[in-house]
Amino acid sequence: MSPPQRRRRLPKAAHKPKPAPPPEGPGPHAGPGGPGRPREPERLYVVTGQVEGGDRAELDLVTLIVACADAPPTAQPEQSALLRLCQAPMSVAEVSAYLNLPFSVVTVLLTELLTAELVQARAPIVRAELPDRSLLEAVMHGLQKL
């Protein structure tokens, strides 16, 4: 049998402060869906800024991104995180998932980084471009006979 648990007594003078009443009217996080939903589209517009010329890089979900340099001091936090994340080749879909940003926002960020030559975009390796396994085995057996 376990010993009885003791509960701490609070002094009678101590009382809990009353919670602050909710603010009236729409707050800073009131979005189109109500007061509990943040204004996501406005925040994403601020993250992406204004794209010069309106052109975006031709990127697929499977395009591999590799960082060429460290983030400059003037880089946005999302761009710095993207550059740290892409030290090893990573697909655009993975970058989007890790940064928790939509694909369209990631393509805008990557377009800016590609223009500044801070990242490189590489086409994914297509399976049909790899040599046939039987050909590689034949070359290996031929080398072993030498």
Side-chain angles (χ1 to χ4, degrees):
M1 210 174 177
S2 62
Q5 299 290 326
R6 292 185 177 187
R7 294 192 181 174
R8 185 174 292 211
R9 292 183 191 173
L10 295 175
K12 292 184 179 183
H15 64 286
K16 294 182 181 178
K18 293 181 181 180
E24 293 186 18
H29 297 292
R37 298 189 59 188
R39 293 182 184 175
E40 197 65 26
E42 288 181 11
R43 188 186 78 77
L44 294 178
Y45 178 77
V46 171
V47 168
T48 58
Q50 187 176 16
V51 180
E52 295 178 21
D55 296 333
R56 289 189 192 175
E58 295 293 325
L59 298 171
D60 290 335
L61 287 172
V62 292
T63 303
L64 297 176
I65 304 297
V66 181
C68 301
D70 292 333
T74 58
Q76 297 175 358
E78 290 82 8
Q79 289 176 336
S80 299
L82 196 147
L83 288 169
R84 281 192 307 272
L85 195 62
C86 293
Q87 294 299 319
M90 187 171 290
S91 72
V92 178
E94 289 175 307
V95 171
S96 176
Y98 283 125
L99 294 179
N100 199 21
L101 292 172
F103 173 73
S104 58
V105 173
V106 172
T107 56
V108 172
L109 292 173
L110 285 173
T111 300
E112 293 172 1
L113 293 174
L114 284 166
T115 306
E117 297 181 354
L118 295 173
V119 295
Q120 288 181 345
R122 300 180 183 171
I125 299 172
V126 180
R127 191 112 172 109
E129 292 180 5
L130 294 175
D132 186 25
R133 182 179 177 102
S134 61
L135 175 66
L136 291 175
E137 288 177 358
V139 170
M140 184 179 70
H141 290 304
L143 290 173
Q144 287 175 346
K145 288 181 182 179
L146 291 177

